[in-house]
């Protein structure tokens, strides 16, 4: 259901503009029946006024190709009239926004949504820095011919746009004057001159203009990169976290422009505009809607010490410095860019670490929890057909094979063939299945539990979990038969964790549709755990090495061998081939073991 800006953008990105019908024009939504007629200067003024108003008001979208109806003095999106692609020059819209609005809003996206006959255009204006005011040349005299020494500030108010009153502009200018320490007349003149200086590519903007403290640094970077085709600035430079950035034209007419990116401590880089837009788009689903703060900035190749270039034909970009950590943005053969994290290990646990464990006390739990922070999770649903398909696949799944393997290696075949719904609830937003193995007429010995839950008010990510439990050593021994060794070898634990991870990362998420097509709103993680949860008669939890042979890790140091639980978190893409997953699992277990006292653990010993 479309109910806010984020879900409206998701509908447009999914090429389903029909889902916007019934929405009311609001502070973040403006609808146009037809495209801006940009040959008319009045339409140019209207376009830049509308975009600047959203930039000043926390972001929003302009949708083009929707007819509206009036209900209770409010405009409601009534039906799609569509837009002829030949009637809209997307590149011209982008250039006019950059040229007429000061400073140029960052991350504005102009695109199409829907199919032929019902295709609409949209302009997505993301939230901008809170301390930035966006101005346009004020209409004065003849419409479409604004005086070059005036500014106006459009603001979004409910479902309409108004001009900021002259008194409020005066107060803002006075505050700037007081902060700058310049005489009033000089300050006012300088502020107005700067505000209207960006009216075209030949307006005389300097490289680094707008950031006096970094101008020399940016100029030096520019001079080193000029040979690749850097032209004149499109707008003023701006600071974003550790980086200073500036949009530039290409020296050759018709070629995509550049973004000059300078981050302290690394060589400067010139990024072609299409790639830069892909970077912005990949991070735009971050909860705070600040793409670069989340996804970071281009990172040069290892040991690279000179300026470098990311051309429009690039198909991968490494990024770091953002809250998501290091990652790689890659372009598929179909031209679709997708961000994935670069693998790293930690011991951070999410809210879902203990999901589904209430009321259970197994002797041993081997667990994989995969956290999938997909964008627009409210659009996800678990369909009946996909739930049925999952039920058909469970007896042949990796986790079913791992459970069966534990008994077969001990001379007794106890197949994990019968799966039931539960013990956790199944609903439109959750799935849960279990397979229990027991000696005929005896207590449960071995159990596999699977669960996937869509986001809730307490948990913002999709969570997929796969457990294999030894319910009790006595029941496990009885099910195997006399003389069987019930302690698990570390190689068996690896096989089980590999299978639970693969099941949670690839099999369970299929119930929501096509996971490969979903974008991230944060880095996906996997938590692997080994825990003893059944207290002994004295109330103390047993050590892991009583149920698992940990000797391949080497001698434990300190209290490592007495721990009842060990865990590790892997930040990585959830989908990979089995050989890669197996190698990564070994590296994660060694990382975990060393942190828990097995300082001699090595991958080669596993």
């Amino acid at each position: 259901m479309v109910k806010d800006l984020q879900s409206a953008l998701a509908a447009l990105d999914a090429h389903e503009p029909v889902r916007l019908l019934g929405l009311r024009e609001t502070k973040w939504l403006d609808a146009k029946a037809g495209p801006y007629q940009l040959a008319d200067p009045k339409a140019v003024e209207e376009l830049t006024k509308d975009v600047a108003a959203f930039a000043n008001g926390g972001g929003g979208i302009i949708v083009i190709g929707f007819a509206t109806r009036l209900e209770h003095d409010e405009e409601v999106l009534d039906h799609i009239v569509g837009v002829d692609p030949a009637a809209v020059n997307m590149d011209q819209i982008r250039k006019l926004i950059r040229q007429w609005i000061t400073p140029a809003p960052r991350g504005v996206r102009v695109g199409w949504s829907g199919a032929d006959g019902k295709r609409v255009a949209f302009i997505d204006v993301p939230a901008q820095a809170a301390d930035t005011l966006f101005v346009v040349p004020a209409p004065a005299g003849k419409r479409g011919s604004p005086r070059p020494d005036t500014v106006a500030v459009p603001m979004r108010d409910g479902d309409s746009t108004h001009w900021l009153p002259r008194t409020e502009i005066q107060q803002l200018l006075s505050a700037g004057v007081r902060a700058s320490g310049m005489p009033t007349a000089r300050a006012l003149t300088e502020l107005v001159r700067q505000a209207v200086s960006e009216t075209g590519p030949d307006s005389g903007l300097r490289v680094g203009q707008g950031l006096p403290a970094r101008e020399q640094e940016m100029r030096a970077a520019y001079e080193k990169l000029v040979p690749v085709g850097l032209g004149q600035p499109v707008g003023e430079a701006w600071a974003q976290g550790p980086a200073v950035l500036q949009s530039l034209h290409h020296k050759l007419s018709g070629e995509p422009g550049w973004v000059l990116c300078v981050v302290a401590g690394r060589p400067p880089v010139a990024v072609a505009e299409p790639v830069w837009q892909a970077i912005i788009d990949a991070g735009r689903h971050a909860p705070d809607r600040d793409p670069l703060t989340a996804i970071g900035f281009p990172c040069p190749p290892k040991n690279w010490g000179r300026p470098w270039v990311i051309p429009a034909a690039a198909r991968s970009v490494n990024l770091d410095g953002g809250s998501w950590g290091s990652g790689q943005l890659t372009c598929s053969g179909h031209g679709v860019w997708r961000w994935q994290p670069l693998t790293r290990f930690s011991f951070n646990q999410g809210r879902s670490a203990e999901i589904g464990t209430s009321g259970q006390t197994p002797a041993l739990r081997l667990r994989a929890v995969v956290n999938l922070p997909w964008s627009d999770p409210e659009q996800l649903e678990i369909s009946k057909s996909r739930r049925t398909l999952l039920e058909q696949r469970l007896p042949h799944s990796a986790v079913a094979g791992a459970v069966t393997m534990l008994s077969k290696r001990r001379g007794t075949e106890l197949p994990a063939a019968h799966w039931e719904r539960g013990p956790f609830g199944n609903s439109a937003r959750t799935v849960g299945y279990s397979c229990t193995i027991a000696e005929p007429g005896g207590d449960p010995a071995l159990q596999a539990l699977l669960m996937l839950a869509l986001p809730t008010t307490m948990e913002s990510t999709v969570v997929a979990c796969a457990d294999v439990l030894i319910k009790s050593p006595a029941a496990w021994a009885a099910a195997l038969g006399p003389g069987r060794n019930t302690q698990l070898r570390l190689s068996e634990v690896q096989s089980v964790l590999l299978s639970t991870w693969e099941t949670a990362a690839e099999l369970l998420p299929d119930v929501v549709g096509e996971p490969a097509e979903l974008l991230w709103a944060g880095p996906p993680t996997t938590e692997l755990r080994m825990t003893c949860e059944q207290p002994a008669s004295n109330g103390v939890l047993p050590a892991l090495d009583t149920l698992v042979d940990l000797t391949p890790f080497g001698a434990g140091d300190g209290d490592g061998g007495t721990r009842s639980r060990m865990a590790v978190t892997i930040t990585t893409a959830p989908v990979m081939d089995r050989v890669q997953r197996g190698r990564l699992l070994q590296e994660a277990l060694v990382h975990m073991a060393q942190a828990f006292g097995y300082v001699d653990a090595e991958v080669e010993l596993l």
Side-chain angles (χ1 to χ4, degrees), residues 173-390:
L173 290 171
S174 296
V177 169
R178 289 192 297 271
S180 70
M182 292 190 294
T184 302
R186 178 183 171 192
L188 181 59
T189 301
E190 181 64 21
L191 286 171
V192 172
R193 182 181 297 115
Q194 290 180 8
V196 298
S197 64
E198 190 182 328
T199 57
D202 301 318
S203 56
L205 288 167
R206 304 184 309 277
V207 173
Q209 182 172 325
L211 296 174
R214 306 288 295 273
E215 186 170 333
Q216 184 175 358
E217 178 187 5
M218 294 195 74
R219 186 68 191 178
Y222 175 85
E223 294 294 340
K224 294 175 181 178
L225 287 162
V226 161
V228 306
L230 269 61
Q232 294 303 306
V234 174
E236 291 189 344
W238 76 98
Q240 177 83 39
V244 289
L245 306 144
Q246 191 166 21
S247 296
L248 306 164
H249 290 282
H250 198 288
K251 278 188 174 180
L252 301 178
S253 177
E255 293 294 321
W258 302 94
V259 173
L260 177 62
C261 176
V262 181
V263 178
R266 66 176 61 169
V269 58
V271 186
E273 271 190 345
V275 180
W276 186 260
Q277 188 61 51
I279 294 172
I280 297 297
D281 290 344
R284 71 170 57 254
H285 295 286
D288 58 3
R289 289 184 58 80
D290 188 341
L292 294 177
T293 297
I295 206 167
F297 302 92
C299 180
K302 189 175 181 180
N303 299 322
W304 192 272
R306 59 187 184 278
W308 56 303
V309 177
I310 303 177
R315 288 297 175 262
S316 68
V317 182
N318 282 352
L319 301 159
D320 71 0
S323 61
W324 290 5
S326 299
Q328 185 177 62
L329 189 65
T330 57
C331 185
S332 70
H334 301 290
V336 177
W337 289 89
R338 184 173 176 84
W339 180 89
Q340 299 284 19
L342 295 181
T343 299
R344 56 187 180 273
F345 305 119
S346 72
F347 300 100
N348 301 323
Q349 291 188 346
R351 290 182 176 178
S352 57
E354 303 288 341
I355 188 172
T357 61
S358 178
Q360 298 178 11
T361 55
L364 178 67
R365 183 190 304 271
L366 303 176
R367 157 168 283 209
V369 177
V370 179
N371 298 284
L372 302 163
W374 284 318
S375 63
D376 307 311
E378 67 276 3
Q379 305 300 322
L380 301 175
E381 62 178 5
I382 301 170
S383 67
K384 179 180 179 181
S385 61
R386 289 191 173 273
R387 187 189 296 271
T388 301
L389 179 61
L390 173 63

Side-chain angles (χ1 to χ4, degrees), residues 133 151 153 164-178 184 188 191-192:
L133 190 67
V151 294
V153 183
L164 195 67
R166 181 171 54 188
T167 54
E168 295 189 32
I169 295 177
Q170 185 275 330
Q171 291 171 2
L172 291 171
L173 290 171
S174 296
V177 169
R178 289 192 297 271
T184 302
L188 181 59
L191 286 171
V192 172

Side-chain angles (χ1 to χ4, degrees), residues 582-604:
R583 182 68 179 181
L584 190 55
L585 172 70
Q586 290 183 327
E587 294 174 2
L589 291 179
V590 167
H591 184 83
M592 175 189 73
Q594 291 176 346
F596 281 88
Y598 294 91
V599 295
D600 296 325
E602 297 179 5
V603 169
E604 289 71 19

